[in-house]
Amino acid sequence: MSPLVECVPNVSEGRRPEVVEELAEAVRSTPGVRLLDVSADGAHHRSVFTFVGPPQAVLDAALALAEVAVRRVDLRQHQGLHPRIGAVDVVPFVPLRGATLEDCVALSRTFAQRLWERHRVPVYFYAHSALRPERRWLPNVRRGGFEALLREVATPERAPDVGEPKLHPTAGATATGARDLLIAWNLELDTDDVRVARAAARRIRESSGGFRGVQAAGWALPGGRVQVSVNVLDYRATSLRVLYEAVREEAERFGARVVSTEFIGLVPAEAVTEVAAAALQARNLEASRVLEVRLLE
Amino acid sequence: MSPLVECVPNVSEGRRPEVVEELAEAVRSTPGVRLLDVSADGAHHRSVFTFVGPPQAVLDAALALAEVAVRRVDLRQHQGLHPRIGAVDVVPFVPLRGATLEDCVALSRTFAQRLWERHRVPVYFYAHSALRPERRWLPNVRRGGFEALLREVATPERAPDVGEPKLHPTAGATATGARDLLIAWNLELDTDDVRVARAAARRIRESSGGFRGVQAAGWALPGGRVQVSVNVLDYRATSLRVLYEAVREEAERFGARVVSTEFIGLVPAEAVTEVAAAALQARNLEASRVLEVRLLE
């Protein structure tokens, strides 16, 4: 069986459906690749594409999508909740069956080289591809967003890993890297006080002493609610259930409640099963007991 | 892609590990078949084998397993919690991708014919293979177990569908049929009063006015606890979460609690996801958002 790699590019466009469709079509029309999910979010003004395939096909699809994003997105016009530095903001490569993190590091290197050569978009390596220790952590790469990076890109601390220390005028810069599967998850609270979302984010994120592998931010949503936006980088260490409870408790301290939650992209069976097993007090419900997981073997 | 069928034979042997292993090996050594799960239960004196493959291979494996069971199990010596009529008690065939219930009805017909020809075990058709309406429902076929059927098999009401109206002296009779995926689930309560388990079973089972597609029974377990044993025949209609809550509530009326639950065999992703989505208030968590389910496509 050929190795299988997942790629989950985040593009700074979530409001024009025709552009999201053009981006999706660039992936779909790449031979050998299967587009599994498109999550477009208007408030974030951002879309997340999940596709899988053999390494070379996944690389081709990522470059085809990047070509559309560079041509169609103008960051100077872009405003959204989510921090971003580029039209093609971040391009993670994830090893699935038969592939390793090292394979994905190599893919990210080639992707960066091509992106710079073809489009003059400078690139930062993050996660397992990071060349500087502080860049392992994506929020460091993205600090201050496009606007801050415009001013700081020429400083040694913020110099790109590939390309010249100068942003692409409309497409900014791109972060790419190899990482493990993560879960992207938003929890919506029934308050318009952004401080509640920020307090909940602080409570759970690792950098404020919260849970291992958790990144989180609190934002106000248009329409008078707030959102805790969470990345679970190590879902084996930190359960979704535990995070849900912590956010619920923290919101309750302010008299607020979780109204609903939503996932961006796909979720590994193990994380879902853990939640269901706890809810049912099941002592033998693991991913390996899920029929579809076993059929994949 | 060749059609894929699941077969989940229940054999009246759950105490001798070497016999369970011999049964498993009969399946494993059949070319083209993958044995996904073996759940052996000492209290029930019963084991459940889950395997998948193309129809012909699955038929071969089911017959290979039946040969071992007929040779190794003596129902005259068999006592367990679970009602049973045969050494090879029930052999369901389930359509997975590319297969239909009709394909599985045809498989059950061939299986029945061979079982009778080779081992002189008479066979009853149940579920979608039933030739009499009342036999669609397995508890009707199994009523009173081996001991009652010994006395009643010669009556017109209980005549086998294949073979002579006479049980195999040690292997009894077998039920076989085509059905959809089901979930087999036991909930354990912290009381030694079997009436609590029976009340909970009555509360949830369809035949007592409970939930659609649910069969349930209450039993005393060795060691002073009781168990509600549940088959969820239509997990799209009836959520595991709803059943859990109903059992919990009914137990509470008697001052008892659910201590733990366990699944027998495999569970479809859709049922697991539904529970997790409710626990996390997730508005977009469905089986199609689980990575492994999408990779199967």
Side-chain angles (χ1 to χ4, degrees), chain A residues 36 244 260 265 281 283 289, chain B residues 244 260 265 281 283 289 294:
Chain A
L36 300 183
Y244 176 86
S260 74
Q281 285 187 263
R283 63 170 177 248
R289 194 165 287 282
Chain B
Y244 176 86
S260 74
Q281 283 188 264
R283 64 170 175 248
R289 194 165 287 282
R294 303 304 304 280

Side-chain angles (χ1 to χ4, degrees), chain A residues 249-271:
Chain A
E249 269 182 35
E250 192 66 20
E252 216 165 59
R253 293 190 342 114
F254 295 87
R257 287 179 318 156
V258 178
V259 177
S260 74
T261 75
E262 65 173 341
F263 291 91
I264 297 96
L266 302 181
V267 186
E270 196 175 322

Side-chain angles (χ1 to χ4, degrees), chain B residues 10-152:
Chain B
N10 290 221
V11 176
S12 296
E13 171 59 65
R15 294 184 188 157
R16 291 176 296 169
E18 71 281 9
V19 179
V20 174
E21 175 51 29
E22 197 179 332
L23 290 157
E25 190 50 33
V27 174
R28 262 189 231 111
S29 60
T30 305
V33 161
R34 281 185 295 155
L35 178 63
L36 300 182
D37 186 68
V38 179
S39 296
D41 187 307
H44 289 191
H45 204 344
R46 188 175 182 83
S47 22
V48 179
F49 302 81
T50 305
F51 52 90
V52 297
Q56 181 62 47
V58 163
L59 176 66
D60 291 345
L63 287 164
L65 173 132
E67 191 278 322
V68 176
V70 170
R71 178 160 46 79
R72 295 285 258 148
V73 175
D74 185 347
L75 267 198
R76 295 169 304 182
Q77 317 291 325
H78 182 275
Q79 290 208 316
L81 286 176
H82 203 288
R84 78 286 177 271
I85 54 169
V88 192
D89 190 50
V90 53
V91 181
F93 294 94
V94 182
L96 299 179
R97 61 165 186 255
T100 64
L101 274 170
E102 289 66 42
D103 299 336
C104 289
V105 170
L107 269 179
S108 71
R109 302 274 185 251
T110 311
F111 175 78
Q113 211 57 52
R114 301 268 163 82
L115 193 68
W116 169 249
E117 286 162 13
R118 293 184 190 176
H119 304 291
R120 297 285 134 178
V121 173
V123 182
Y124 296 87
F125 291 119
Y126 83 106
H128 286 270
S129 301
L131 299 175
R132 305 187 187 188
E134 71 276 14
R135 292 188 181 171
R136 292 188 76 87
W137 201 52
L138 186 59
N140 281 341
V141 175
R142 218 150 49 183
R143 177 154 301 141
F146 175 66
E147 292 73 11
L149 198 52
L150 265 179
R151 298 187 303 269
E152 299 168 7

Side-chain angles (χ1 to χ4, degrees), chain A residues 52 104 109 148 156 197 228 230 251 276:
Chain A
V52 297
C104 288
R109 302 274 186 251
V228 187
V230 185

Side-chain angles (χ1 to χ4, degrees), chain A residues 4 6 34-37 39 52 96 181 185 188 240-241 244 258-269 272-273 275-276 279-285 288-297, chain B residues 4 6 34-37 39 52 96 181 185 188 240-241 244 258-269 272-273 275-276 279-285 288-297:
Chain A
L4 197 68
E6 185 193 55
R34 281 184 294 155
L35 178 63
L36 300 183
D37 186 68
S39 295
V52 297
L96 299 180
L181 286 169
W185 188 31
E188 200 173 311
L240 295 176
R241 189 171 45 84
Y244 176 86
V258 178
V259 177
S260 74
T261 75
E262 65 173 341
F263 291 91
I264 297 96
L266 302 181
V267 186
V272 174
T273 314
V275 174
L280 302 175
Q281 285 187 263
R283 63 170 177 248
N284 70 349
L285 182 54
S288 61
R289 194 165 287 282
V290 175
L291 174 65
E292 288 86 346
V293 172
R294 302 303 304 280
L295 291 179
L296 256 191
E297 282 170 3
Chain B
L4 197 68
E6 185 193 55
R34 281 185 295 155
L35 178 63
L36 300 182
D37 186 68
S39 296
V52 297
L96 299 179
L181 285 169
W185 188 30
E188 200 173 311
L240 294 176
R241 187 170 47 83
Y244 176 86
V258 178
V259 178
S260 74
T261 75
E262 65 173 340
F263 291 91
I264 296 95
L266 302 181
V267 187
V272 175
T273 314
V275 174
L280 302 174
Q281 283 188 264
R283 64 170 175 248
N284 71 349
L285 182 54
S288 62
R289 194 165 287 282
V290 175
L291 175 65
E292 289 86 345
V293 172
R294 303 304 304 280
L295 291 179
L296 256 192
E297 280 171 3

